[in-house]
Amino acid sequence: MGTETLMTLAIIIVLFFMGVKIVRPTHRGLIERLGKYTKFAQPGFHWIIPFIDKMYVINITEQMVDAQPQEIITNDNLNASVDAQVYFRVMENEESVKSSLYNVNNYKLQIVNLARTTLRNIIGTLTLRSANSERGKINAELHNTLRNETATWGIVIVRTELKEIDPPKDVQETMNKVVKAENEKIAAIDYATATETAADGVKRAKIKEAEGSRQAKILHAEGDAEAIKLVNDAANEYFIGNAQLLRKLEMVENSLRSNAKIVIPTGSELVNVIGEMAGIFPVDLKKGREREKLSNED
């Protein structure tokens, strides 16, 4: 094999390897031949003609660009340092990949510039306080503006994040003092409210305790009064009954002194009393008459 043949073979091998292109799953390729678009390269192996064909590889994963901090004058004439981040990705279909390359020159740089301009327009109409309190609104407006402006670039704006809105140092110190004073005021009000609530609780507890003691005394007094009433009723009944019995005993005693014959009906309360005191037993009138009748017949 001659030297020229070896040289030719070497050149062919080098050209072959120069034309080998591998597209990863995270990318898509656009192949141009002599400056004209010819083919869309999916992930995998591709071979192009060296020096004639050229492949442009486009990343289709989600990416982030930083808008970089910038000084913006707010509506209340204060300088604020504003920074934001934009998340986007190139859509994977052929037309979107072509648009990202042919419809815009360096879409990353364009997104950064567009985001900075949009932030100046939005925050310039707000005061510093409202800008800090309306971050969600600023993010939404920035996202909508970028989405509309990049609609023909073959990309989709995933989200935007407002990183910081920092006022000048002296303004920040003043705002910190104001916030601290407001927090101390709120803490003092909360402490006073808690103290008042605790005092009300103690007051209500004492009132409940006094009411309980008062109710207990009332119930105790009512119980004593009821007991006294029952004792009085029992005493009255007892003494009245015994007084009548004593009166009858006096009459019996007087009769016995006169040797009078006493006839006490059966079942009388005096029977047991007289029996115990004088040894006199009750007389059954009916049985007495029957005995008398039998004696007369004999």
Side-chain angles (χ1 to χ4, degrees):
M1 184 179 295
T3 304
E4 294 181 357
T5 304
L6 292 175
M7 290 285 294
T8 303
L9 183 60
I11 292 173
I12 292 174
I13 293 174
V14 170
L15 290 176
F16 174 79
F17 281 104
M18 286 180 63
V20 172
K21 300 295 180 181
I22 304 297
V23 179
R24 298 184 60 206
T26 56
H27 294 72
R28 297 292 184 271
L30 299 175
I31 300 175
E32 295 180 358
R33 178 167 296 170
L34 299 176
K36 183 179 179 181
Y37 172 73
T38 58
K39 184 180 179 181
F40 180 65
Q42 295 282 357
F45 174 85
H46 297 273
W47 188 82
I48 62 175
I49 302 174
F51 307 111
I52 296 178
D53 293 343
K54 187 173 183 180
M55 177 182 287
Y56 295 91
V57 179
I58 307 297
N59 189 341
I60 61 170
T61 61
E62 183 175 315
Q63 304 173 68
M64 183 273 293
V65 292
D66 195 329
Q68 302 298 325
Q70 60 175 326
E71 295 291 330
I72 299 177
I73 300 177
T74 61
N75 193 37
D76 50 355
N77 296 321
L78 292 176
N79 291 331
S81 178
V82 182
D83 189 10
Q85 293 176 337
V86 180
Y87 296 83
F88 71 96
R89 65 179 180 85
V90 178
M91 292 181 287
E92 63 183 23
N93 59 78
E94 182 178 358
E95 290 302 320
S96 296
V97 175
K98 288 171 61 178
S99 297
S100 69
L101 185 64
Y102 300 138
N103 290 354
V104 59
N105 180 26
N106 193 344
Y107 55 80
K108 289 185 178 180
L109 180 61
Q110 297 287 9
I111 290 174
V112 170
N113 292 331
L114 182 59
R116 290 169 65 87
T117 303
T118 304
L119 284 174
R120 284 197 298 269
N121 293 336
I122 296 173
I123 296 178
T125 62
L126 303 173
T127 64
L128 183 60
R129 180 181 293 272
S130 61
N132 276 285
S133 62
E134 297 180 2
R135 288 174 176 262
K137 179 181 178 181
I138 296 173
N139 276 328
E141 291 187 15
L142 177 61
H143 181 269
N144 290 333
T145 301
L146 292 179
R147 184 182 58 187
N148 294 333
E149 294 295 329
T150 61
T152 60
W153 295 2
I155 65 175
V156 56
I157 303 298
V158 179
R159 65 184 180 278
T160 58
E161 295 291 343
L162 192 62
K163 289 178 59 178
E164 58 184 18
I165 303 178
D166 293 336
K169 186 176 180 181
D170 55 342
V171 175
Q172 182 66 53
E173 292 177 354
T174 303
M175 293 175 65
N176 291 339
K177 291 179 181 179
V178 171
V179 172
K180 182 180 179 181
E182 291 179 351
N183 291 337
E184 290 177 351
K185 178 181 177 181
I186 294 173
I189 293 174
D190 291 342
Y191 177 77
T193 302
T195 303
E196 182 180 357
T197 302
D200 289 341
V202 173
K203 179 181 177 181
R204 287 194 295 269
K206 289 183 177 179
I207 291 174
K208 291 292 184 181
E209 182 180 357
E211 289 179 351
S213 177
R214 174 176 172 272
Q215 189 66 24
K217 289 180 179 179
I218 291 174
L219 293 175
H220 183 70
E222 290 178 350
D224 290 345
E226 185 67 22
I228 293 171
K229 182 176 181 298
L230 292 175
V231 171
N232 288 336
D233 292 344
N236 290 334
E237 183 178 355
Y238 174 77
F239 287 115
I240 291 174
N242 285 343
Q244 292 176 352
L245 184 57
L246 290 174
R247 179 63 178 168
K248 292 178 180 179
L249 287 174
E250 289 178 358
M251 294 175 64
V252 171
E253 184 180 359
N254 293 331
S255 300
L256 290 175
R257 287 177 183 174
S258 303
N259 295 321
K261 185 177 181 180
I262 303 300
V263 177
I264 301 174
T266 302
S268 173
E269 295 178 357
L270 293 175
V271 173
N272 294 330
V273 177
I274 294 174
E276 292 177 358
M277 294 178 59
I280 300 174
F281 298 96
V283 176
D284 191 341
L285 295 178
K286 184 176 180 181
K287 290 183 178 181
R289 291 192 187 96
E290 290 178 354
R291 291 193 188 99
E292 185 178 357
K293 183 177 181 182
L294 291 175
S295 299
N296 295 331
E297 289 177 356
D298 292 338

